[in-house]
Amino acid sequence: MDKKFKNNKEFNKLLISDLKKRFTKVKLGGGQKRIDNLHKKGKMTARERIDYLFDNKSKSIEIGAFAGDQMYEDHGGCPSGGVVVKIGYISKKQCIVVANDATVKAGAWFPITGKKNLRAQEIAIENKIPIIYLVDSAGIYLPMQDEIFADKEHFGRIFRNNAVMSSQGINQIAAVMGSCVAGGAYLPIMSDESIIVDKTASIFLAGSYLVKAAIGENIDNETLGGATTHCEVSGVTDYKEKNDKDALDKIKRIVDKIGDSVYAGYNRSKSQVPKLSDKDIFGILPKDRTTPYDMLEIIKRLVDKSEFDQYKEGYGKTILTGYARIDGWAVGIVANQRKLVKTKNGEIQFGGVIYNDSADKATRFIANCNQKKIPLVFLQDVTGFMVGSKSEHSGIIKDGAKMVNAVSNSVVPKFTVIIGNSYGAGNYAMCGKAYDPRLIVSWPSAELAVMSGNSAAKVLLQIEKASLKKQGDKITDKQEAELFNNIKSRYDQQISPYYAASRLWTDAIIDPLETRTWISLGIEAANNSPIEKQFNMGVLQV
């Protein structure tokens, strides 16, 4: 093991250790005291409910664990956006589960809560997999109601999606396991089947205090909207269960009887582990985001048998394209090559930069994968498209537009892994969040921004200096250095993968060793949804 490999390994292992510590904290939700209070009431936590629901020893992945991270400190915080979302197996059928975390502001909805719920429904709709709602929520968080109530992508969109999914035959099951109030009360009745837990759960448009204030009626919450009322009087719910576990067991039995999907038919053979150790990734991936490395060595540690059949290997070398298998699934991989490469003409091209020829190659390869019905995996470590007169005169804008067009119109499922840099238009061309990847995750080494912190700080510093000069102020070298460092520090915080994950620009930050699992479960979900349209790039300048 050489010194550079060892240093990289130590650095990346520290990133993984930090990731695990952060996740351990997030899993506590509103804290141990509130967890204990739930248990005293005979209730399970959101995570305990999901763990009990999923098949024993089956694989699962969590969407948006870091949603809301450090976003609402003035309001006491909102760990995981106050809702836990996981994809896993219930009675051997792949489902997505959305569980309100009652330890976080009684499960109230913050703006990021709404965004995360919509993301869960988007995954269910795209992949046509059943969605399970475990409801335990006090409704909209009133101090921030103006950011969650009335817009297109706000609270009301949830129920619109309930209706759309129902029309598309996507199974929805709701279990009311605590509060379900105001607008949220529509969710159980808009689901296919609904369960309510006796004595601990209730559903109503307005609670007893508001009813008293509004119409003068005296009534208690249990009589107003408890399990007996809704199962025997109103007919809002379908099943009454005596506790959380009974309700979850009912869900298991319902899911067990759901028929099979009409599969898309993505190619899968027997899964085989990579020949090269995936743990080597930690030593290959440099701790400095500007240091070149060979992305091909990363790919060989992610794919079955470490076999990667390159497409146009000698052309457009700053992007690697080729076919492989991940956990048995056939995939087409589009990856940024980070080492310096030499063209046939002897020209040296910068790693991580998209040139005319690499954009052209990627466009053709994406079209081929759509023709062959092969899911696409994008491995991002990109600084952007090449600039300068040579590239501009060669039509880099046109070639870049062709690549963006191909990514935008691709009909096969796309999956994006942000390994390192994800800057500027490179983020777009390599299937960033705006381009509808079925799942998008980052490694702890990722950075997402218009440009690097160093470059951005230099630009912003020049703007600041020009502004001060107009005001007649002079700046010393020491002041300039301090100003640069302040700007860079602020910008570096914004390019952190945790900043992106807190806002759901990515679905998760993952250990690189979990990459194969995420892609495999993602393709399995996508296989439930047959392709319904042809690949067509529309009007395109060739």
Side-chain angles (χ1 to χ4, degrees), residues 204-449:
F204 35 65
L205 294 180
S208 57
Y209 292 124
L210 186 53
V211 168
K212 172 67 174 176
I215 64 173
E217 181 183 1
N218 287 306
I219 190 169
D220 63 90
N221 283 339
E222 182 64 26
T223 306
L224 180 66
T228 299
T229 295
H230 285 310
C231 283
E232 300 177 17
V233 180
S234 71
V236 166
T237 51
D238 305 309
Y239 309 98
K240 179 172 72 171
E241 302 298 337
K242 63 181 180 181
N243 57 41
D244 280 10
K245 287 188 176 181
D246 282 356
L248 297 170
D249 286 334
K250 176 67 76 174
I251 293 172
K252 292 180 183 182
R253 293 195 295 274
I254 293 171
V255 173
D256 181 54
K257 296 171 181 64
I258 295 174
D260 285 340
S261 303
V262 177
Y263 296 115
Y266 301 120
N267 186 288
R268 191 180 196 185
S269 61
K270 183 180 178 181
S271 175
Q272 300 188 62
V273 299
K275 285 184 178 179
L276 301 175
S277 174
D278 55 0
K279 293 182 177 63
D280 290 344
I281 289 172
F282 299 119
I284 296 168
L285 194 64
K287 64 179 183 178
D288 182 354
R289 289 282 80 247
T290 63
T291 301
Y293 66 95
D294 190 352
M295 179 64 83
L296 185 59
E297 294 302 316
I298 299 288
I299 293 172
K300 287 179 179 179
R301 286 157 176 84
L302 294 176
V303 301
D304 290 14
K305 296 171 64 178
S306 299
E307 291 181 350
F308 181 57
D309 296 318
Q310 285 202 58
Y311 170 82
K312 289 185 179 290
E313 181 176 355
Y315 178 72
K317 294 182 179 180
T318 64
I319 285 185
L320 299 170
T321 53
Y323 304 103
R325 289 188 183 275
I326 293 179
D327 196 27
W329 293 104
V331 296
I333 295 175
V334 181
N336 302 111
Q337 175 58 287
R338 277 302 311 275
K339 70 177 185 179
L340 299 175
V341 299
K342 184 182 288 187
T343 68
K344 188 176 181 181
N345 298 326
E347 176 191 0
I348 300 297
Q349 293 184 339
F350 297 105
V353 178
I354 302 175
Y355 289 77
N356 299 73
D357 53 357
S358 49
D360 176 67
K361 177 171 84 170
T363 301
R364 291 171 179 269
F365 180 71
I366 291 166
N368 277 343
C369 286
N370 276 272
Q371 181 80 357
K372 297 174 182 177
K373 204 162 74 171
I374 299 175
L376 284 159
V377 175
F378 292 83
L379 303 179
Q380 283 197 18
D381 195 342
V382 58
T383 53
F385 287 89
M386 190 58 189
V387 297
S389 60
K390 183 177 180 181
S391 291
E392 296 292 0
H393 296 170
S394 299
I396 186 64
I397 296 174
K398 182 174 67 175
D399 290 330
K402 287 192 288 186
M403 183 176 174
V404 170
N405 191 313
V407 173
S408 302
N409 287 297
S410 180
V411 296
V412 295
K414 300 168 290 193
F415 302 89
T416 302
V417 182
I418 304 174
I419 291 174
N421 304 328
S422 182
Y423 298 154
N427 170 281
Y428 303 157
M430 291 295 294
C431 197
K433 183 65 182 288
Y435 292 81
D436 297 325
R438 295 293 177 98
L439 294 172
I440 177 169
V441 299
S442 71
W443 290 359
S445 48
E447 293 184 354
L448 290 81

Side-chain angles (χ1 to χ4, degrees), residues 23 26 47 62-69 79-81 85 116 501 504 507-508:
F23 184 59
V26 158
R47 292 182 182 279
E62 181 169 350
I63 305 296
F66 292 104
D69 184 47
S80 287
V85 176
K116 187 170 174 178
L504 287 173
D507 291 318

Side-chain angles (χ1 to χ4, degrees), residues 64-205:
F66 292 104
D69 184 47
Q70 298 183 10
M71 285 180 65
Y72 305 106
E73 299 303 305
D74 292 345
H75 297 268
C78 188
S80 287
V83 62
V84 181
V85 176
K86 285 190 175 185
I87 299 173
Y89 299 89
I90 303 171
S91 301
K92 299 181 181 180
K93 182 171 286 291
Q94 197 177 38
C95 303
I96 185 164
V97 181
V98 181
N100 298 116
D101 186 348
T103 71
V104 180
K105 291 288 192 295
W109 286 53
F110 283 69
I112 196 65
T113 316
K115 188 173 183 178
K116 187 170 174 178
N117 274 267
L118 289 172
R119 175 61 179 142
Q121 289 185 321
E122 179 182 41
I123 291 170
I125 292 170
E126 285 181 329
N127 298 294
K128 291 183 169 54
I129 59 174
I131 183 167
I132 316 298
Y133 307 100
L134 306 181
V135 185
D136 196 343
S137 172
I140 288 174
Y141 182 60
L142 291 178
M144 302 187 75
Q145 64 85 27
D146 62 320
E147 298 181 45
I148 182 63
F149 173 62
D151 208 348
K152 180 179 179 181
E153 300 298 329
H154 282 177
F155 191 68
R157 189 77 172 182
I158 302 295
F159 315 119
R160 175 265 185 193
N161 286 350
N162 288 144
V164 168
M165 283 190 280
S166 182
S167 72
Q168 294 178 357
I170 298 169
N171 296 109
Q172 300 175 82
I173 302 167
V176 182
M177 311 177 83
S179 297
C180 184
V181 302
Y186 289 107
L187 189 144
I189 197 60
M190 296 193 76
S191 298
D192 301 328
E193 293 183 88
S194 56
I195 302 156
I196 187 168
V197 178
D198 196 19
K199 306 305 180 193
T200 60
S202 56
I203 307 171
F204 35 65
L205 294 180

